[in-house]
Amino acid sequence: MSKQTKTASQNTKSRQVVAVNRRARHDYEIGETYEAGIALVGTEVKSLRAGRVNFQDAFCKIENGEAWLYNMHISPYEQGNRYNTDPKRRRKLLLHRYEIERLRAAAEQKGLTIIPLSIFFERGFAKVEIALARGKKLYDKRESIAERDREREALRQAAGRE
């Protein structure tokens, strides 16, 4: 019996990022993140591969022991004709039962929101990165912007530019 060793290419995950929700990091304090599969139909996958997705206002809910993604707009596929579905339909997230239960408990007890951070393809499967998040207040957003400006200024001075 010989042991098979994995090559470096097999160990690394091939991840093709389709879209990133930059607004989420501005509006929320991001906590624990999860990687979930997403149930799509064929024409939605083709539109997603073309990058025709908008999920700025998207959020997740736990209903009857299942996780659902709401308000994610996947544009209809141009050659899809009658096979296209409603662009804003709710989509089921594929998670383990214990992950769903952990998300439900945190959303109910701690008052956190479940939001999508990014959509990507991994080994051919569409996946979404979701996070437990707490909404930022206006003064928190201002502090984040000021902190980013301070870091940028420090980098400029360190590089010798003024």
Side-chain angles (χ1 to χ4, degrees), residues 3 23 33 37 47 56 58-60 86 116 121 126 143-145:
K3 278 189 175 178
R23 184 87 185 168
T33 62
S47 283
Q56 263 184 335
F59 62 95
C60 301
D86 179 32
F121 282 94
E143 181 59 36
S144 296
I145 293 169

Side-chain angles (χ1 to χ4, degrees), residues 62 100-114 132-134:
I62 307 296
I100 292 172
E101 187 56 35
R102 190 177 298 162
L103 286 168
R104 185 196 61 76
E108 284 179 4
Q109 294 171 359
K110 297 178 185 174
L112 300 175
T113 306
I114 308 167
L132 285 168
R134 184 178 314 279

